[in-house]
Amino acid sequence: MQYDVVTIGGGFSGLVTACRAAELGLSVAVLEERDEDRYPCSSRYATGAANVMGLPIMSEPDRLFAAIVKGSGRNANPAVARAVANNGKRAIAWLSLQGAQFTSRALRHDQPGQQVLAPVRAETAGLDWEDRGADQLMRRLEQNLTRRGSALIRGFKVEALAVEDDACVGVEAVRDGTRFRISSQAVVIADGGFAANPEMVAQYITPHAGRVLARVGPGAKGDGIRMAAKAGAAVGGFGAFYGHIDHASAMTNARQWPYPHLDAAAEIGIVVGPDGQRFTDEGLGGVCVANAIAHLPDPLSAFLILDEAIWNAEPALTTTVPANPAMVDAGGELLSSPDVGMLAALTHLPADQLARSIGQHNDAVDSDDFAGLAVTRSIRKHKPMPIRTAPFHAIPLCAGITGTMGGMVINEHAQAQKPNGTNFRGLYAVGTPIAGLEGGPRAGYVGGLSKAFILGMLAAEHIASVR
Ligand SMILES: Cc1cc2nc3c(=O)[nH]c(=O)nc-3n(C[C@H](O)[C@H](O)[C@H](O)COP(=O)(O)OP(=O)(O)OC[C@H]3O[C@@H](n4cnc5c(N)ncnc54)[C@H](O)[C@@H]3O)c2cc1C
């Protein structure tokens, strides 16, 4: 089996790379481990909002570039950040020519409309992907690939990279117990990262990997990063992840993820640990708070504390699926009590400390002065509200990992790098398993779809140009 390009994985990263490469005249095989017709993966589950560091992908490149540099705490490689910022509009135009349908929708109340794949998902709890925009685009890309004489081959699990003379020259894959060697001029790792691999989550994020939620497709096992590291590619940039704040029952109740999540409610209430104290800056938003929860000694020990007024305000602030009422309707417990003391008893939080944390929060809201709080509180999207209208509520939380950060070190063409800073000939990485674009102290997240769409397109164009 011989191709110009092989992609490891058939999510958006692999499919976009493959379609663009096929369009440029290359023969491509997309090797996908799963064998279902509509195999589950994060791409198929995606809500479909294409943004860059929270800004609409159609924003001016200089604005996007500045947002990536700032949001990543200067963790981003400027050349890669510039490539992403400069090519967002072009990627959307190219995808539209492939048949992608976008609608403009404000996913945050304080922002202009963003490109969202249409039709959009319903405002219901749990997964809702069948025939939604992402699912439709995946099928359209496969059709386009096949029409151009290339193939998406299901049921092939890539297990190793083939390296000769310091260059990647293909892969070894297994199907139904038989091992195949597939040769190619370029191999593109597009396997979706490692959120569904507890050993790697334990190694890079939290030792308590069994107590955080893999809020992703099942194939994100980190194969690509491990194969690349073994072959001598540079990897790094681990530690943070893209994710959301979920109800703790999402660990076992599939209707609690991916939606509703509790990001908006956490921005106006408070999040406390098992000692009843705030431990994180809720104002920085769901990604940051989810990271802080994951790093607790017990990631399943945090509670969101709010009151009836906040709970009733939440639906107007959430732009996906409001937790009120979807969380409760889907079986997520809302612990409620007429006073804080009884709420402490329900949650087993220390009553005095919980009352103190609520009191300090209320004082800060009343005086509009958050500087005196022991744990800083930023005011960004939504203003915090006081917690004083009974009944009082507590929600047990978990951290949902929607996409890992870190992986292969790449350049602006998505070419893999070696530890000595030279290119790893024939090897590329796109989408989730890359380093040097995200992270930093605030877990800056560029956007899973933009990384898949833009880097996939750039990798294909570079492979075609050096052929
Ligand atoms: C519920 C949900 C909602 C989301 N919403 C958004 C959104 O609105 N906007 C946004 O920007 N991002 C969103 N994301 C993130 C985004 O969907 C992902 O970042 C992106 O789709 C990842 O695409 P990918 O192709 O890199 O990975 P995936 O879609 O995970 O595809 C990787 C594929 O590789 C296969 N694979 C893995 N290992 C191997 C192997 N060894 N051999 C062969 N195949 C292998 C897997 O089976 C899988 O099919 C969301 C994610 C989730 C889970």
Side-chain angles (χ1 to χ4, degrees), residues 271-279 296 301-303 348-357:
V271 175
V272 300
D275 57 1
Q277 300 195 43
R278 291 180 53 245
F279 58 91
L296 285 172
S301 64
F303 284 90
H348 305 291
L349 294 169
D352 288 355
Q353 183 55 56
L354 181 61
R356 242 189 328 273
S357 297

Side-chain angles (χ1 to χ4, degrees), residues 8-14 31-34 39-51 107 127 156-159 190-192 215-217 219-221 223 227 242 257-259 402 430-433 445 447-452:
I8 304 174
F12 279 134
S13 302
L31 302 180
E32 169 54 49
E33 168 180 5
R34 309 283 306 197
Y39 48 88
C41 61
S42 294
S43 297
R44 212 177 287 283
Y45 295 167
T47 309
N51 45 47
L107 277 193
L127 280 169
F156 267 80
K157 180 176 172 59
V158 178
E159 293 196 339
D191 71 333
R215 194 178 172 277
V216 287
K221 295 269 171 52
D223 294 352
M227 287 187 269
Y242 165 60
W257 74 273
Y259 300 108
T402 312
V430 296
T432 310
Y445 167 62
L449 293 181
S450 4
K451 283 184 295 178

Side-chain angles (χ1 to χ4, degrees), residues 283-294:
L284 293 177
V287 181
C288 266
V289 175
N291 274 267
I293 293 172

Side-chain angles (χ1 to χ4, degrees), residues 274 303 305 335 340 342-350 354 393-396:
F303 284 90
I305 305 294
L335 297 161
V340 171
M342 284 169 71
L343 193 70
L346 282 176
T347 51
H348 305 291
L349 294 169
L354 181 61
H393 305 295
I395 300 173

